[in-house]
């Protein structure tokens, strides 16, 4: 029965890994969306090695452990195979090394099965010698230690590409020592010196050694293992409380005196303060989990290598990105299966030594798994330990398989009666605490993958969006005549954004792997990336198959490139803004903001642009706020005629004009607050243009529009409605009378030039528009100059209006 169950489960594990290997092979074709690619095949060597090695392990357990627990080996085998293929996917060189270490681990595992009785006798008799030897070897790292990566704590011994981390097996040696020590002592009190002194001395030496090494993760695990051992032996819950207090105190003291603890605690409490520096790892880990979402980006289709040390410390985040919440829940369930079966094994052990050995081994595996998964998810501070059976690392993998050997051997009870257990409550509580821990990490994983994912994925430091943009064409931005403004060029794998009309950069913005997104590229991103406007079934299918959205959709703007180029030419090197608007529909025909920049050169000039005092990145037309001064005289005349309004009257009127709220448009906007005195009120050129439009259109202020239509797959061009609604502010007669009062002699339109002061400089305004009897499209125009230049404002207005009227 045991043999059949274990064999069946191993076959299912092999099938799961076979499917995973096949997907990895095909992933380049999926990513490129073509069959003409270089396929992945190297990881099949790892898979075949896994099949052979696990088959040998299975046969060895069948022969030497006929009554073993049938679930332990399949769960551990699947975890190690899953980790092995993940390492192969991330780095082929390390995949080869991990395959070799898997071979070494399983060979030692099989040899141990042949000599299990001698090994258990050795563990029990020579516990001091074994632990002392482990401490001695670990101490050697203080003098001869190295780090395979060249930086960081020197916790390894070795050379020539072969390294061994003594602190990994030291954990298991502590487990063996504590199990043997407590098994030989019965009914000792918690306060007994016989109980405390030897264990405290040995554990204290190990802790001091690990702290000097700066191996704080292993030190934390030692404290937790020691606490679990004392608690399971005595059954006193105050042991757990005392340990929690000691850990909190140690963390607090270490925060002030040990720099690495301070860095990790700060990164844990608020990683968003320094996401590109000390908190880079944890932020990128959370972005990987968020990018995975519910079902993941697909094996081989994510970007887990953006997380540093993804093969080891952050392998959980790498798995989460490509398999999603579904994969991480499965991974957590496999770990919990080993722990739950291990505790059952402990309760049915045939003697006290084996019971403690199994229980302490479970505590070690569970605590280490929780520490590293919790660290990946920001549930706990980062500790830098490995995920048992999964992470890259020969020392870790070998130690995990020795732990598996211990659990399997203890589970082989045959027909013997289990040892008497007077109080099972400590074991029940340990199981409950571990279950609560894994439930917490599962819920935290869901929090980052589902709830927080939309916010995280839009961060500018999330390079995954830019990487996806290389493989999926982004929709184009077109003017009202379908002339290109921003387009995508290249082919799958090399797509890049090209800005055909760069002078529009403050308005249309950019999408960039380093500097994120701005302008219309940001506000229309869902359409341009294909996440909106496409059928939900297509979006779901592309995400499932490719891990990316479908091709982006083109968006038509209300801008006229002919008028836009004229406005940019007229504004030239002067700082300010120009807006030309259809006064009836609110469609913006031209919007200029100067100084401007070339988004095609962001790679070279991006840093300098962000520090440029002239602020070329700001869209002055919608985000610039300028004192209105005398600019609003036509609007005041339209409302109050020859009467002199009070500040209260003006405040109410300006509120009707929308000066105290943001305009509803697909662009970043700014607005003043109602707390400012009327004489200091500031408005944006867009707000002023909307107000001016009501004079040219019968007293009705339109809703602004710049994105007018999207080209969908099913319906073709679909009109996008305005985000706001038109509003009647003044009566038609009053609007017409105001327009007539501000006609410039010899001109076919009304206009007014006003000025205001800002920080000892003069702001020049021009408001203009078509007359009530104009038979064509009613127009409104605003020119704002950050200089005292009424002639230029009048020239820009006259030239641009005449060009628009004569089209």
């Amino acid at each position: 029965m045991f043999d059949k169950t274990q064999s069946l489960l191993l076959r299912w594990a092999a099938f799961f890994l076979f499917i995973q290997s096949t997907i990895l092979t095909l992933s380049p074709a999926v990513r490129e969306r073509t069959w003409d690619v270089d396929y992945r095949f190297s990881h099949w060597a790892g898979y075949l090695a896994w099949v052979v090695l696990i088959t040998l392990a299975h046969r060895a357990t069948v022969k030497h452990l006929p009554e073993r627990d049938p679930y332990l080996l399949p769960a551990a085998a699947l975890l190690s195979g899953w980790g092995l293929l993940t390492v192969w996917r991330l780095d082929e060189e390390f995949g080869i090394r991990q395959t070799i270490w898997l071979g070494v681990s399983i060979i030692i595992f099989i040899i141990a099965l042949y000599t299990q009785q001698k090994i258990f006798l050795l563990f029990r008799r020579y516990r001091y010698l074994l632990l002392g030897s482990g401490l001695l070897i670990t101490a050697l790292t203080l003098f001869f230690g190295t780090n395979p990566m060249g930086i960081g704590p020197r916790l390894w011994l070795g050379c020539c590409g072969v390294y061994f981390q003594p602190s990994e097996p030291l954990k298991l040696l502590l487990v063996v020592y504590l199990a043997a020590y407590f098994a030989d002592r019965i009914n000792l009190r918690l306060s007994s010196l016989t109980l405390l002194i030897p264990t405290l001395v040995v554990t204290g030496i190990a802790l001091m050694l690990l702290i000097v090494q700066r191996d704080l993760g292993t030190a934390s695990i030692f404290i937790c293992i020691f606490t679990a051992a004392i608690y399971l032996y005595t059954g006193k819950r105050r042991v757990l409380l005392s340990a929690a207090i000691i850990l909190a105190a140690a963390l607090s003291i270490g925060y002030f005196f040990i720099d690495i603890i301070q860095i990790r605690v700060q990164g844990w409490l608020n990683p968003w303060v320094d996401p590109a520096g000390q908190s880079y790892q944890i932020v990128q880990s959370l972005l990987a989990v968020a990018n995975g979402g519910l079902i993941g980006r697909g094996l081989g289709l994510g970007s887990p290598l953006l997380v540093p040390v993804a093969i080891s410390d952050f392998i959980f985040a790498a798995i989460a990105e490509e398999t999603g919440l579904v994969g991480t829940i499965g991974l957590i369930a496999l770990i919990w299966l080993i722990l739950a079966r291990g505790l059952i094994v402990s309760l049915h052990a045939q003697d006290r030594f084996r019971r403690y050995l199994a229980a302490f081994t479970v505590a070690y595996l569970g605590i280490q798994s929780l520490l590293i998964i919790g660290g990946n998810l920001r549930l706990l501070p980062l500790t830098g330990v490995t995920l048992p059976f999964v992470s890259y690392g020969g020392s870790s993998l070998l130690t995990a398989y020795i732990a598996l050997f211990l659990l399997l051997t203890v589970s082989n009870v045959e027909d013997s009666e289990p040892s008497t257990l007077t109080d099972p409550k400590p074991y029940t509580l340990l199981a409950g605490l571990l279950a609560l821990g894994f439930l917490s990490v599962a819920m935290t994983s869901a929090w980052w993958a589902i709830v927080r994912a939309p916010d995280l994925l839009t961060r500018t430091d999330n390079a995954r969006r830019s990487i996806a943009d290389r493989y999926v064409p982004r929709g184009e931005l077109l003017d009202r005549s379908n002339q290109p403004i921003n387009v995508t060029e290249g082919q799958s794998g090399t797509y890049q954004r090209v800005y055909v009309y760069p002078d529009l950069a403050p308005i249309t913005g950019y999408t960039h792997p380093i500097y994120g997104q701005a302008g219309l590229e940001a506000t229309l991103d869902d359409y341009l990336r294909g996440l909106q406007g496409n059928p939900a079934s297509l979006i779901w299918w592309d995400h499932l198959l490719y891990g990316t959205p479908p091709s982006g959709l083109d968006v038509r703007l209300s801008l006229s490139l002919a008028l836009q180029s004229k406005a940019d030419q007229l504004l030239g090197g002067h700082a300010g803004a120009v807006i030309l608007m259809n006064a009836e529909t609110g469609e913006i025909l031209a919007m200029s903001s100067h100084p401007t920049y070339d988004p095609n050169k962001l790679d070279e000039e991006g840093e300098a642009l962000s520090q440029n005092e002239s602020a070329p990145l700001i869209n002055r037309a919608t985000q610039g706020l300028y004192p209105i001064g005398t600019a609003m005289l036509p609007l005041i005349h339209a409302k109050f005629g020859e009467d002199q309004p009070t500040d209260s009257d003006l405040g109410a009127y300006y509120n009707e004009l929308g000066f105290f709220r943001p305009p509803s448009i697909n662009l970043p906007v700014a607005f003043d607050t109602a707390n400012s005195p009327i004489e200091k009120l500031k408005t944006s050129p867009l707000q002023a243009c909307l107000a001016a439009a009501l004079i040219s259109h019968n007293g009705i202020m339109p809703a602004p529009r710049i994105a007018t239509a999207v080209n969908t797959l099913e319906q073709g061009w679909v009109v996008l409605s305005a985000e706001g609604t038109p509003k009647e502010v003044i009566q038609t007669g009053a609007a017409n009378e105001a327009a007539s009062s501000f006609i410039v002699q010899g001109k076919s339109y009304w206009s007014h030039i006003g000025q205001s002061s800002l920080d000892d400089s003069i702001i020049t305004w021009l408001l203009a528009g078509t007359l009530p009897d104009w038979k064509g499209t009613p127009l409104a125009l605003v020119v704002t100059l950050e200089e005292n230049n009424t002639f230029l404002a009048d020239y820009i207005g006259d030239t641009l209006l005449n060009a628009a009227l004569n089209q």
Side-chain angles (χ1 to χ4, degrees), residues 602-778:
L602 277 180
D603 288 335
E604 302 86 9
E605 303 176 356
E607 189 66 28
L609 285 173
S610 64
Q611 300 175 3
N612 192 322
E613 294 182 356
S614 63
L617 297 174
I618 297 296
N619 179 8
R620 285 168 161 77
T622 62
Q623 294 173 288
L625 292 178
Y626 302 95
I628 57 176
T630 59
M632 297 299 152
L633 286 181
L635 294 160
I636 295 174
H637 181 83
K639 179 69 173 179
F640 302 104
E642 300 299 329
D643 297 335
Q644 184 66 32
T646 64
D647 286 351
S648 177
D649 293 334
L650 280 177
Y653 181 42
Y654 289 161
N655 185 53
E656 282 189 89
L657 293 175
F659 290 169
F660 301 134
R661 58 182 178 272
S664 299
I665 192 172
N666 304 96
L667 281 170
V669 295
F671 66 100
D672 203 347
T673 65
N675 297 324
S676 301
I678 291 300
E679 64 271 13
K680 295 183 178 180
L681 177 67
K682 297 178 181 179
T683 67
S684 68
L686 175 60
Q687 290 173 306
C689 193
L690 289 170
L694 63 85
I695 295 181
S696 295
H697 184 52
N698 305 318
I700 300 174
M701 188 168 65
R705 299 182 65 198
I706 192 166
T708 59
V710 58
N711 192 11
T712 66
L713 295 177
E714 294 182 333
Q715 299 175 305
W717 286 102
V718 175
V719 174
L720 297 174
S721 59
E723 295 190 5
T725 55
K727 178 182 179 181
E728 184 177 359
V729 180
I730 58 177
Q731 294 181 352
T732 301
N736 295 343
E737 196 277 331
S740 300
S741 299
F742 286 88
I743 297 176
V744 179
Q745 185 175 5
K747 305 293 184 182
S748 59
Y749 54 83
W750 67 267
S751 69
H752 168 71
I753 293 179
Q755 290 188 318
S756 62
S757 61
L758 177 65
D759 299 331
D760 299 327
S761 63
I762 300 298
I763 304 298
T764 302
W765 288 90
L766 178 134
L767 275 65
T770 53
L771 298 173
D773 58 354
W774 172 250
K775 302 303 181 182
T777 301

Side-chain angles (χ1 to χ4, degrees), residues 148-188:
M149 297 184 181
I151 57 173
R154 298 182 300 169
L155 306 178
W156 286 261
L157 294 173
C159 66
C160 308
V162 179
Y163 299 95
F164 183 74
Q165 188 175 358
S167 61
E168 284 294 332
L170 186 61
K171 302 167 191 172
L172 212 53
L173 289 175
L174 178 66
V175 165
V176 171
Y177 165 79
L178 292 173
Y181 184 83
F182 289 134
D184 291 342
R185 286 155 178 81
I186 303 175
N187 298 327
L188 289 178

Side-chain angles (χ1 to χ4, degrees), residues 573-575 755 761-764 785-790 792:
H574 300 272
Q755 290 188 318
S761 63
I762 300 298
I763 304 298
T764 302
L785 299 176
E786 297 177 9
E787 59 185 82
N788 182 10
N789 197 336
T790 57
L792 178 62

Side-chain angles (χ1 to χ4, degrees), residues 232 346-348 355-356 418-427:
L232 291 177
S346 174
L347 293 175
H348 291 86
R355 171 169 294 146
Y356 289 142
S419 175
T420 303
L421 180 61
T422 56
D423 186 10
K425 290 182 180 179
Y427 294 84

